[in-house]
Amino acid sequence: MLIKNEAELKSVLGGVQQSITWETFESFVKQAELKYIVPAISESFYDELCELYEPNVYQQKIIDRLMIASGYYALVAALPQLVTVIGDNGIAVNNTGGSPMYKWTYKELKDSSLEAADEALEQALVWLEKNQNAEVSTGVKVFQKWIDSDECSISKSLYINDASEFTAFFPQARHKRRFYLNIREYLVKVEKHELLPQLGKAFFDALRNGDESNYAIAEAKAYAKYFLAYKAVSEAIPFLNINEDFRLINADQYSLIEGEYALDANRRNALQATCDDRANWYLKKLKWLIDKNASASVFPTYFNSEEYKVSSTTKGYFRAKNDPSKSYVTI
């Protein structure tokens, strides 16, 4: 585990006035890391971090950030048991002689702890994304296991491959890695089933890998990425627990269950329709741009494809000549 003892747990939680028995909390730390940390950073990278004896400066920085998330997620997992006493004689409320914990106090503690955990994990993922190519010696990457993991490598095959780039085309994402990860499978789907058929496989790959110093390529890629971002969000909205700020709400939060922050159906439908409209607009702009400019020297892969031949036949429309002898006008 990332957190290995009572002292490390207390160092990340802070504000702990009484002793914490490690045997009491160890299982909750394990639960928290398996449920939240491992899916975020991959099991192989997690195992590597846990087994380090003398981490270098980069490894220590990511461990410090992940430990904060782990500690607060463990507190959330432990809360139901901490306020009760479970034994052979049944289950009772834990009363140590202090003031009783009211429902609103329990709810506030759980929600605030979960928010702190989510924010810490988000900061860790953002830092990791920015520093994933760090090297301690020439050619030796510190985070190679992360780079090689599915959690990281799947993104690299996409048009939009990280949270920062996603934010450039969908600003509401606010560089949130967790939001990007929840959208990523929809990006895969939209690329494969909607953008690729429009462009054709050859041009789809050529545009993705194209040199953005070329103005036409850069503009086409931008339209493609705007389309992918908005269409993926549109596809995802019905299945995401989000608030008005597009912040993901963890399903463990009482506030979600009570509906205090989650979007209502009408607002959710309106956002989905808006994103879908924007996506369709960008797709039309992309098709117009490449159809207009395609030639043997500009977008040659598309120019020689079946997709261009099909779309070029529908650029205009047939207009019959007006006959002065007839009393109607052909439109």
Side-chain angles (χ1 to χ4, degrees):
M1 292 184 292
L2 295 170
I3 297 177
K4 298 178 173 63
N5 53 55
E6 174 186 341
E8 290 182 348
L9 179 63
K10 293 178 71 173
S11 71
V12 298
L13 287 180
V16 178
Q17 293 84 16
Q18 298 183 11
S19 63
I20 296 178
T21 303
W22 176 240
E23 287 74 13
T24 302
F25 258 90
E26 184 177 7
S27 64
F28 299 118
V29 172
K30 185 179 296 183
Q31 290 175 41
E33 295 189 359
L34 290 176
K35 182 176 181 179
Y36 296 102
I37 308 301
V38 170
I41 67 171
S42 82
E43 189 155 7
S44 60
F45 183 45
Y46 170 79
D47 289 343
E48 179 184 52
L49 294 178
C50 291
E51 293 166 5
L52 290 172
Y53 180 69
E54 292 183 350
N56 61 46
V57 62
Y58 292 106
Q59 292 166 332
Q60 189 60 58
K61 284 185 177 181
I62 190 62
I63 289 172
D64 289 342
R65 288 165 168 80
L66 291 172
M67 282 175 62
I68 296 173
S70 174
Y72 279 101
Y73 281 132
L75 179 59
V76 172
L79 273 175
Q81 279 72 32
L82 292 179
V83 297
T84 58
V85 176
I86 303 174
D88 292 338
N89 294 325
I91 302 175
V93 176
N94 188 4
N95 188 353
T96 59
S99 300
M101 178 177 284
Y102 297 105
K103 179 182 176 181
W104 69 267
T105 308
Y106 176 90
K107 174 183 177 301
E108 182 63 30
L109 177 59
K110 186 172 183 178
D111 282 359
S112 62
S113 298
L114 191 56
E115 185 173 358
D118 284 347
E119 183 61 30
L121 181 57
E122 183 63 46
Q123 290 178 4
L125 291 170
V126 170
W127 186 90
L128 183 59
E129 192 171 273
K130 290 181 178 179
N131 295 276
Q132 61 183 338
N133 293 315
E135 297 180 352
V136 286
S137 58
T138 304
V140 180
K141 296 186 183 298
V142 178
F143 300 125
Q144 191 63 53
K145 283 193 179 294
W146 160 251
I147 294 171
D148 293 339
S149 70
D150 287 344
E151 286 71 12
C152 180
S153 59
I154 288 174
S155 300
K156 298 305 176 188
S157 66
L158 300 177
Y159 266 69
I160 302 176
N161 55 42
D162 60 44
S164 296
E165 188 174 27
F166 188 78
T167 300
F169 298 97
F170 189 78
Q172 295 88 337
R174 295 178 179 83
H175 302 277
K176 299 295 187 182
R177 173 78 178 173
R178 286 181 64 239
F179 185 83
Y180 171 75
L181 291 177
N182 277 268
I183 294 294
R184 187 172 62 183
E185 292 305 315
Y186 296 96
L187 287 171
V188 174
K189 175 185 174 184
V190 175
E191 277 196 11
K192 181 178 180 180
H193 297 294
E194 301 198 41
L195 184 62
L196 190 151
Q198 292 286 337
L199 304 183
K201 182 65 167 66
F203 184 58
F204 176 88
D205 291 336
L207 182 61
R208 179 178 55 195
N209 302 317
D211 181 5
E212 294 191 40
S213 64
N214 180 297
Y215 177 77
I217 292 176
E219 191 172 16
K221 285 182 77 171
Y223 282 138
K225 290 179 180 181
Y226 274 119
F227 163 70
L228 290 168
Y230 277 95
K231 190 64 176 179
V233 173
S234 172
E235 294 275 333
I237 279 178
F239 309 102
L240 292 180
N241 295 321
I242 54 175
N243 66 4
E244 286 282 355
D245 295 327
F246 280 88
R247 185 174 69 83
L248 288 170
I249 302 173
N250 196 299
D252 290 337
Q253 282 181 296
Y254 275 23
S255 53
L256 174 61
I257 297 172
E258 296 175 2
E260 293 178 8
Y261 302 121
L263 291 178
D264 62 39
N266 290 335
R267 180 58 177 157
R268 189 181 293 270
N269 291 338
L271 285 175
Q272 183 181 26
T274 299
C275 290
D276 201 50
D277 287 345
R278 295 294 293 172
N280 291 333
W281 186 86
Y282 282 118
L283 183 59
K284 288 178 182 178
K285 290 289 288 185
L286 171 63
K287 289 291 289 179
W288 174 85
L289 175 71
I290 59 179
D291 282 345
K292 177 184 177 182
N293 293 283
S295 68
S297 58
V298 180
F299 304 137
T301 309
Y302 180 69
F303 182 69
N304 295 314
S305 71
E306 292 297 324
E307 286 72 24
Y308 173 71
K309 294 173 184 176
V310 170
S311 61
S312 64
T313 62
T314 60
K315 283 183 179 178
Y317 53 86
F318 175 76
R319 181 186 292 274
K321 293 183 179 179
N322 288 330
D323 186 343
S325 66
K326 296 180 179 179
S327 59
Y328 58 83
V329 177
T330 302
I331 299 176

